[in-house]
Amino acid sequence: MLTLNLTPSSPVTFSRSTHHKYPINASSLLNPNIPSRAQNQTTLFNKLTSQIGSFACKVSNFGEISSCPVGLYSRFTNQICNFNRVHEYPSGFCSKPRSYVAKAAAASDSESSPEGEANVVSKPKDKTLQLALVFGFWYFQNIVFNIYNKKALNVFPFPWFLASFQLFVGSVWMLILWSFKLQPCPKISKPFIIALLGPALFHTIGHISACVSFSKVAVSFTHVIKSSEPVFSVIFSSILGDSYPLKVWLSILPIVLGCSLAAITEVSFNFEGLWGALISNVGFVFRNIYSKKSLQSFKEVNGLNLYGWISIISLFYLFPVAVVVEGSQWIQGYHKAIEAVGKSSTFYIWVLLSGIFYHLYNQSSYQALDDISPLTFSVGNTMKRVVVIVSTVLVFRNPVRPLNAIGSAIAIFGTFLYSQASAKKANKTEGEKKS
């Protein structure tokens, strides 16, 4: 940016953003009887505009006036000739000085005025509002998924079919976003697909295991057991070479205690449901560990696109197995489901909503992780389980014993402590890398 600073009986100074200045004596260019500084800025610029022609001619003596080398002079005069193009003034050298100065003055006034300070203060408020909306949509979509997923499983107890359908809906959703350019499609290559095979496999294991658990026990119990995921994460990561401070190990103790207490006091306890939730934890932990190692070379792919391709590959993993495991029972189960619900459209809506909101809540979680810090995300994820557990207990009216509620609270509180301790470890590691 090139600016022109003129004051009476002072040198004319041209300055760049790099703060290099080229002073020249302007005593021969300006009338010594220029009005005082208190005079209106508009009058001053009117006179300067009339004298700018002679100034442009006399600037040819720039080398003699300022004792600058000729090379510097020639480069400088070329910049003067291009000044109008740089600032988009089509009618000659600085044909809009008044509007330009007015904008600068307005910007300066807005920064120093109370209104400008109010704008600065409003930015954190906007960020807080955005964060509230992100978490609000994430929680709402998760609640809707858990409710309609459980309703569908109650009348159609075939989790392999429902899990496959949910991946199918997510795959179609992403293909629509990419086709209409609502989401930039990542570049697909053979190494990228190979790198996704491992994470997609473990994602498939985690997803189907959770669906099996949902079909066997209360939704609230499955989420309490799934809150023990940090325990598996610390154990398996340690086996693979990571080290954790004592605070992290201590934080997983209340998780184990709470989950154990909730399990032995659960009214709807079922070993298949318990093992399904535990295997789901293992699957998702290995998905996260494997993703960090195999996807290091594809950091340009954002979270939503990554999840989209994982869903597509997981569908190819899961559906053939689903056909083998329960395919022969689907037709008979479908008729029983329609008979139990009464209207086929109601059953279709339940299944469709479970598929749509399964993808949406995962999409929101990836978008939330892009917008907020990992610590905030971990805390939000912990609170999400609380909201889902309470919501499903109220909707399905599951009986909850006092010890079961206490165990659930202890487990979720332990998850919160783990998120705090692990975030401090991550910040310390990042600081060591920077230093």
Side-chain angles (χ1 to χ4, degrees):
M1 176 177 173
L2 198 58
T3 59
L4 178 64
N5 300 320
L6 295 171
T7 57
S9 64
S10 66
V12 177
T13 305
F14 289 86
S15 61
R16 294 180 179 176
S17 59
T18 55
H19 303 288
H20 297 300
K21 298 184 178 180
Y22 306 93
I24 63 173
N25 191 347
S27 60
S28 61
L29 306 178
L30 301 176
N31 192 334
N33 297 321
I34 292 177
S36 63
R37 294 184 182 181
Q39 189 174 358
N40 192 296
Q41 292 280 343
T42 305
T43 306
L44 176 60
F45 275 101
N46 284 338
K47 291 191 175 185
L48 289 174
T49 304
S50 64
Q51 296 177 10
I52 205 68
S54 62
F55 170 74
C57 295
K58 292 187 178 184
V59 80
S60 62
N61 295 325
F62 182 78
E64 298 177 1
I65 294 173
S66 58
S67 302
C68 292
V70 176
L72 179 61
Y73 150 73
S74 61
R75 185 176 63 218
F76 184 71
T77 51
N78 288 336
Q79 291 171 348
I80 292 177
C81 295
N82 293 327
F83 182 83
N84 61 315
R85 283 183 290 176
V86 173
H87 294 276
E88 297 180 358
Y89 298 146
S91 57
F93 179 78
C94 197
S95 62
K96 290 186 179 180
R98 296 181 188 176
S99 62
Y100 180 76
V101 173
K103 289 179 182 178
S108 177
D109 291 341
S110 66
E111 291 176 357
S112 59
S113 65
E115 290 80 0
E117 295 176 359
N119 291 334
V120 175
V121 173
S122 65
K123 288 182 179 179
K125 294 182 179 179
D126 294 340
K127 185 67 175 178
T128 303
L129 178 61
Q130 180 185 0
L131 192 62
L133 290 175
V134 168
F135 277 111
F137 279 116
W138 184 21
Y139 289 5
F140 171 76
Q141 292 160 356
N142 209 306
I143 291 171
V144 173
F145 159 72
N146 280 277
I147 290 174
Y148 285 100
N149 183 61
K150 184 61 176 177
K151 282 188 173 184
L153 287 171
N154 284 341
V155 297
F156 187 74
F158 299 102
W160 289 80
F161 172 85
L162 209 58
S164 300
F165 179 78
Q166 289 159 1
L167 292 174
F168 171 76
V169 171
S171 301
V172 172
W173 185 283
M174 291 305 302
L175 291 174
I176 291 174
L177 292 182
W178 291 330
S179 299
F180 289 93
K181 298 182 179 179
L182 299 175
Q183 172 72 15
C185 182
K187 295 181 179 180
I188 306 304
S189 61
K190 185 177 179 181
F192 178 66
I193 298 298
I194 293 175
L196 284 175
L197 294 179
L201 175 62
F202 290 117
H203 178 79
T204 306
I205 295 172
H207 179 46
I208 182 56
S209 301
C211 281
V212 170
S213 180
F214 284 135
S215 69
K216 300 297 182 181
V217 295
V219 176
S220 56
F221 179 67
T222 298
H223 277 281
V224 170
I225 301 303
K226 282 180 68 62
S227 67
S228 65
E229 184 176 322
V231 178
F232 295 92
S233 179
V234 171
I235 292 175
F236 287 118
S237 297
S238 298
I239 293 174
L240 294 175
D242 287 349
S243 60
Y244 290 89
L246 181 62
K247 289 183 179 180
V248 173
W249 286 99
L250 292 176
S251 68
I252 67 175
L253 294 180
I255 300 177
V256 176
L257 175 63
C259 288
S260 302
L261 184 59
I264 62 177
T265 57
E266 173 62 33
V267 176
S268 65
F269 179 81
N270 179 289
F271 273 109
E272 288 185 63
L274 174 64
W275 281 107
L278 292 175
I279 294 173
S280 176
N281 286 339
V282 175
F284 286 129
V285 165
F286 273 107
R287 179 198 64 180
N288 297 337
I289 294 174
Y290 205 96
S291 296
K292 291 179 182 178
K293 293 185 177 181
S294 64
L295 297 173
Q296 285 293 325
S297 303
F298 305 98
K299 293 183 178 179
E300 70 278 3
V301 182
N302 63 22
L304 181 55
N305 284 334
L306 187 63
Y307 175 72
W309 276 105
I310 286 177
S311 297
I312 293 173
I313 298 175
S314 295
L315 177 62
F316 285 100
Y317 277 137
L318 183 60
F319 185 70
V321 182
V323 173
V324 174
V325 174
E326 25 172 75
S328 60
Q329 307 174 56
W330 287 346
I331 296 177
Q332 184 180 1
Y334 166 76
H335 291 296
K336 289 183 178 180
I338 299 301
E339 183 180 351
V341 175
K343 290 183 179 181
S344 58
S345 59
T346 302
F347 175 69
Y348 297 154
I349 290 173
W350 289 355
V351 174
L352 184 61
L353 288 177
S354 74
I356 292 175
F357 280 92
Y358 171 75
H359 178 80
L360 286 180
Y361 96 76
N362 278 288
Q363 175 177 312
S364 296
S365 68
Y366 276 96
Q367 290 174 334
L369 189 58
D370 287 338
D371 295 335
I372 60 180
S373 65
L375 174 59
T376 306
F377 180 84
S378 298
V379 174
N381 193 41
T382 303
M383 296 307 299
K384 179 205 71 177
R385 296 203 184 279
V386 176
V387 173
V388 170
I389 289 172
V390 173
S391 301
T392 54
V393 167
L394 294 176
V395 170
F396 296 106
R397 298 180 181 179
N398 300 324
V400 179
R401 296 171 180 171
L403 284 178
N404 183 268
I406 293 173
S408 302
I410 293 174
I412 291 173
F413 179 68
T415 305
F416 172 77
L417 294 178
Y418 168 80
S419 66
Q420 300 286 322
S422 60
K424 291 180 180 179
K425 173 185 177 295
N427 292 335
K428 183 178 179 181
T429 304
E430 185 178 355
E432 291 175 352
K433 289 181 179 179
K434 290 182 178 179
S435 61

